[in-house]
Amino acid sequence: MSRDPLKVTSTRLPGTRSGLSRGGRRTLLAVVAAIAVLLGVGVGALGQDPTTSPTAATTPAPSTPAPSTPEPSTSAPATSSPTPAPVTLDPDTGLLGEDDAAAAVSAAPPGTALAALAQLPVQGRAPRTGYDRDQFGSGWVDTDRNGCDTRNDVLARDLTAEQFRPGTNDCVVTSGVLADPYSGTTISFLRGQGTSEEVQIDHVVALSNSWQTGAQQWDEQTRVAFANDPLNLLAVDGPLNQQKGDGDTATWLPPNRAYRCAYVARQVAVKLTYGLWTTPAEHTAMATVLTSCPEEPLPVAG
């Protein structure tokens, strides 16, 4: 029988199987897997963008926050009190010059005696003709109708440790202690002959002065009210009251310098209340005193 020359007939050895053995197949699979891994790594490496490589990446710079705009302050700016303008006193009289006096009055804080001084008219003194104490009533009267005359009312107001005569409803003052504003000393008051005059009641704006600065034109009722107004009255050292007489600020001031501002402020208040005027010299003297204490308030009641 003829054979096909292209057909190969395999001859199996005794005790063997055809094809690769089990160990050979495992070896072949391992080789194929290794090649696949190598090919995968190579393809990945070739396709990787260098800019995305971990070694090529840069650490981003920390962001800087935008500066915040400060909110406008709602608090009012601090202000300082204006410094009073310096004034010059006349070396001979010790008084302000006319221009300095006017400037001091115009710059005075509202509600002060110095500011009120601007409201007082300035003109010459009228003649004293016709003046008499009785034009202002006959002695001390009970204008407030409290059952007690004005002298005792003022003593009770201004004295301390006061004692009253029994049976007078605490009206008649028999003793007490006065802190005298004019001298700055303490005076013991004892009612009686030869002792009562140690403490007297002063008209801060003297009755005669008022007569010459406007009171001539008043009716009797207004003059009596003026003479008994507690705003115009002070219990003071008797001898100093006599020394003052009917002097105004230009001619007399309390020896106690610490009280001069309050004294002149009270004179301004009295004259303003009753529409009295001041003389030029008096006005300048008032301005001179009050310029040293521009915050001195204007008294409003006795």
Side-chain angles (χ1 to χ4, degrees):
M1 176 181 294
S2 63
R3 297 181 179 179
D4 187 348
L6 297 177
K7 186 176 180 180
V8 178
T9 302
S10 61
T11 303
R12 182 183 301 173
L13 295 177
T16 64
R17 294 182 180 180
S18 63
L20 292 174
S21 66
R22 182 180 300 173
R25 287 198 299 272
R26 284 200 295 266
T27 302
L28 179 60
L29 290 174
V31 172
V32 172
I35 293 173
V37 169
L38 290 174
L39 289 175
V41 171
V43 172
L46 291 174
Q48 186 175 19
D49 187 348
T51 61
T52 62
S53 171
T55 58
T58 59
T59 303
S63 60
T64 302
S68 59
T69 303
E71 296 184 2
S73 173
T74 57
S75 59
T79 58
S80 57
S81 300
T83 302
V87 294
T88 303
L89 301 181
D90 186 290
D92 296 325
T93 65
L95 300 174
L96 288 173
E98 183 177 345
D99 291 341
D100 281 339
V105 171
S106 64
T112 62
L114 185 58
L117 185 58
Q119 302 176 49
L120 295 182
V122 180
Q123 63 186 71
R125 189 187 304 274
R128 198 170 183 268
T129 306
Y131 169 74
D132 189 279
R133 172 63 177 84
D134 289 342
Q135 297 275 10
F136 293 82
S138 179
W140 301 109
V141 297
D142 181 15
T143 55
D144 59 3
R145 299 181 181 179
N146 68 345
C148 197
D149 64 81
T150 303
R151 172 179 167 79
N152 280 293
D153 281 342
V154 174
L155 287 174
R157 182 195 68 184
D158 293 351
L159 300 183
T160 58
E162 64 273 18
Q163 298 293 319
F164 300 94
R165 180 179 297 167
T168 62
N169 294 320
D170 289 345
C171 172
V172 179
V173 179
T174 58
S175 64
V177 178
L178 173 68
D180 176 42
Y182 287 179
S183 65
T185 62
T186 300
I187 303 172
S188 295
F189 169 75
L190 179 63
R191 181 181 292 273
Q193 187 174 359
T195 58
S196 290
E197 294 303 310
E198 293 298 316
V199 173
Q200 299 179 12
I201 307 302
D202 178 39
H203 288 95
V204 178
V205 174
L207 300 183
S208 175
N209 177 275
S210 71
W211 181 263
Q212 295 178 273
T213 56
Q216 290 186 31
Q217 303 167 16
W218 297 347
D219 57 28
E220 182 180 359
Q221 183 178 1
T222 302
R223 288 196 290 265
V224 170
F226 176 82
N228 290 271
D229 188 342
L231 178 63
N232 192 35
L233 300 173
L234 288 174
V236 299
D237 175 82
L240 285 179
N241 185 43
Q242 295 297 316
Q243 180 191 93
K244 170 187 171 179
D246 61 357
D248 60 19
T249 305
T251 59
W252 190 89
L253 286 170
N256 179 18
R257 291 179 175 272
Y259 188 69
R260 288 182 177 180
C261 285
Y263 173 77
V264 174
R266 189 173 285 261
Q267 285 192 327
V268 172
V270 170
K271 292 210 164 195
L272 186 61
T273 299
Y274 286 90
L276 298 173
W277 69 77
T278 60
T279 67
E282 180 184 15
H283 192 274
T284 298
M286 285 177 162
T288 300
V289 172
L290 293 175
T291 297
S292 68
C293 47
E295 300 291 336
E296 182 71 31
L298 183 72
V300 294

